[in-house]
């Protein structure tokens, strides 16, 4: 029975991760269109009549036609269905002179740590059903948040290897730049995490959320760490303004030049899942998780868990939209500016925040 | 639990053999990464969660990235394994087998029942060794001198690396 609960939890959390990734893709397309004063994708599914037999039957049910037209006009059919089908059916070529195994391994290594890191993040408060206490963390390990950090370290491999198997200098340059960028920014992130660990006194993410009841949100306790982790989150996912490794106009798509079809979609989905992961981490650490200041939910009840989950997802969506807005607003950094920011600005700032936090904690005891 | 250990041990052994016997050096590096992830899994099975995660962060996430960088920048061609003669193979297996024959009883005696003890303690909720709190307490009270000396050593290596790197840049700009 325990195993069944674990399997269901894994299923649900995986779908949360995939759902975040898909919705972020759609928000990116439509949001970027809005910000660039154009309309974006709105043609697929909005105008045509189906001539596939099963689709005709489906359209005969009242309401389905209206729903599909509406979703198509919003661009959801285009993003979720058409992009996926296109990526699945594109020719998958491997450049010659490189190892086919590593070429296939790279998207896996870029995506797998991201989805694995969703295992230690709680997505709802604990609740009881039928006598079983269901914790929404898949793995309540002692070193909770360090697991996310370890997965961030492992995600560097996918990028470096992808750059190498392109077998041309643009890919290699993009891959090495991306790997160097990710490693440099992990330092500042780690120290900012240590600051929050020192404040909350625990490594377990669920305990961290539980300590943020009422007004004691992490962002009020340490706004500098919030800014640092936000900036590092954008740098780790290689989003603009840090997207020189995948700069479309400069490196011809950088480290995933030689990838097409499903492998490219895996990189793409992994990037958006990482946006969702960082938004989730930021919400759990800094924005109070599922707590709102004046809302007191009862413990251990299933509908309180659902409301908590919806509050959490609202905050996560806000942060995802914020990251997408920042991406389409700022121009990208040069690589030396990027490295200067990582080593000479963010690292001293995070050390300063650690110093101030530990001083305040020591003197208030 | 024992089944999981055997599966992980089998994967680690094959990965370790792969490090030595694979022709492409990048494949060897990836096998080594797989071996280190296996070590992290073994640490986690012994309820040393912090050590498992730190193994992933430091070893598999930083040191092996450095090795991968070096391999990618140096761009070795695939080397052909020279055909190893039969007496050398026999000597290899004999010495390896001798090492195992002497090592396994020693390891069995020192670490007997460790995994079982760890999971019993964790089930009872009284697990104290290997948790972050216990480790932090030891590091900062009993072994604090060793800890600080190790950090100074690492800083000395860092400063040395930066000095060596910057000297070569300066020499290049002097010539030009």
């Amino acid at each position: 029975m325990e195993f069944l609960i674990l399997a269901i939890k894994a299923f649900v959390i995986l779908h949360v991760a995939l759902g975040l990734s898909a919705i972020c893709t759609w928000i990116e397309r439509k949001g970027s269109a809005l910000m660039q004063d154009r309309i974006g994708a709105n043609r697929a599914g909005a105008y045509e009549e189906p001539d596939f037999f099963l689709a005709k039957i489906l359209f005969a049910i009242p309401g389905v036609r209206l729903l599909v037209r509406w979703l198509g006009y919003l661009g959801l059919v285009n993003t979720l269905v058409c992009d996926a089908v296109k990526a699945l059916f594109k020719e998958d070529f491997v450049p010659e002179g490189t190892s086919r195994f590593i070429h296939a391994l790279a998207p896996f290594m870029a995506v797998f740590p991201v989805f694995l890191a969703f295992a230690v993040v709680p997505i709802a408060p604990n609740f009881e059903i039928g006598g079983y206490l269901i914790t929404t963390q898949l793995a309540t390990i002692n070193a909770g948040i360090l697991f996310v950090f370890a997965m961030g370290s492992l995600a560097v491999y996918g990028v470096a290897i992808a750059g190498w198997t392109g077998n041309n200098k643009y890919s290699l340059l993009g891959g090495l730049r991306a790997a160097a960028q990710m490693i440099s920014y992990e330092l500042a992130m780690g120290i900012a995490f240590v600051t929050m660990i020192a404040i909350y006194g625990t490594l377990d993410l669920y305990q961290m959320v539980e300590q943020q009841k009422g007004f004691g949100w992490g962002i009020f306790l340490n706004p500098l760490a919030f800014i640092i982790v936000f900036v590092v989150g954008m740098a780790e996912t290689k989003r603009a303004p840090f997207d020189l490794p995948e700069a479309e106009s400069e490196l011809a798509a950088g480290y995933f030049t030689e990838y097409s079809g499903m492998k490219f979609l895996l990189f793409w989905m992994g990037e958006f899942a990482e946006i969702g992961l960082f938004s989730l981490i930021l919400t759990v650490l800094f924005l109070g998780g599922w707590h709102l200041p004046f809302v007191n939910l009862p413990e251990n009840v299933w509908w309180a868990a659902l409301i908590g989950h919806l509050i959490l997802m609202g905050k996560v969506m806000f942060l995802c939209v914020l990251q997408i807005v920042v991406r389409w607003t700022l121009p990208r950094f040069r690589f030396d500016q990027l490295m200067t920011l990582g080593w000479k600005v963010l690292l001293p700032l995070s050390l300063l925040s650690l110093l101030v936090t530990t001083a305040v904690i020591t003197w208030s005891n | 639990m024992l089944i999981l250990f055997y599966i992980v041990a089998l994967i680690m052994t094959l990965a370790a053999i792969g490090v030595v016997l694979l022709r492409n050096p990048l494949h060897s590096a990836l096998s080594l990464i797989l071996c280190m992830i296996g070590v992290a899994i073994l640490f986690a099975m012994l309820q040393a969660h912090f050590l498992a995660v730190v193994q992933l962060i430091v070893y598999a996430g930083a040191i092996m990235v450095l090795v991968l960088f070096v391999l990618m920048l140096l761009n070795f061609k695939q080397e052909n394994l020279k055909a190893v003669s039969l007496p050398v193979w026999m000597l290899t297996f004999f010495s390896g087998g001798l090492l195992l024959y002497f090592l396994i009883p020693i390891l069995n005696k020192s670490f007997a029942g460790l995994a079982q003890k760890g999971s019993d303690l964790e089930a009872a909720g009284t697990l104290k060794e290997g948790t972050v709190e216990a480790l932090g307490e030891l590091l900062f009270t009993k072994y604090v001198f060793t800890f600080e000396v190790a950090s100074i050593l690492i800083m000395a290596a860092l400063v040395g690396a930066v000095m060596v790197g910057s000297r070569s840049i300066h020499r290049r700009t002097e010539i030009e």
Side-chain angles (χ1 to χ4, degrees), chain A residues 129-142:
Chain A
I129 280 194
Y132 293 104
L133 180 67
I134 301 188
T135 63
T136 44
Q137 277 177 307
L138 202 50
T140 55
I141 58 180
N142 195 296

Side-chain angles (χ1 to χ4, degrees), chain B residues 8 15-16 26 37 41 44 49 61 65 68-69 78 82 90 92 96 104 108 113-114 118 132 135 158 163 167 170:
Chain B
V8 170
L26 218 67
I37 295 180
I41 297 178
H49 301 292
V65 169
L68 228 75
F69 264 26
Q78 286 192 12
K82 284 199 300 252
M90 281 170 48
T92 310
I104 288 184
N108 258 340
L114 194 67
V132 184
L135 210 63
L158 195 67
M163 262 199 63
R167 234 179 55 182
H170 282 162

Side-chain angles (χ1 to χ4, degrees), chain A residues 99 101-102 105 109 141-143 146-147 149-151 153-154 156-157 160-161 164 172 176 179-180 183 186 203, chain B residues 24 26-27 30 33 37 49-50 53-54 56-57 59-65 68-69 71-73 75 131-133:
Chain A
S99 155
F101 175 65
I102 301 187
L105 188 67
M109 288 193 81
I141 58 180
N142 195 296
L146 286 186
F147 187 70
F149 197 49
M151 292 299 123
S153 301
L154 281 185
V156 177
Y157 284 120
I161 292 174
W164 188 79
L172 184 64
L176 289 181
I183 298 177
E186 267 169 20
L203 278 172
Chain B
N24 192 345
L26 218 67
H27 287 169
L30 289 177
I33 294 171
I37 295 180
H49 301 292
F50 182 68
V53 168
V54 167
L56 280 178
I57 295 176
Y59 230 129
I63 296 181
M64 289 311 296
V65 169
L68 228 75
F69 264 26
L71 282 176
M72 289 195 302
L73 285 175
N75 201 15
T131 57
V132 184
E133 294 91 359

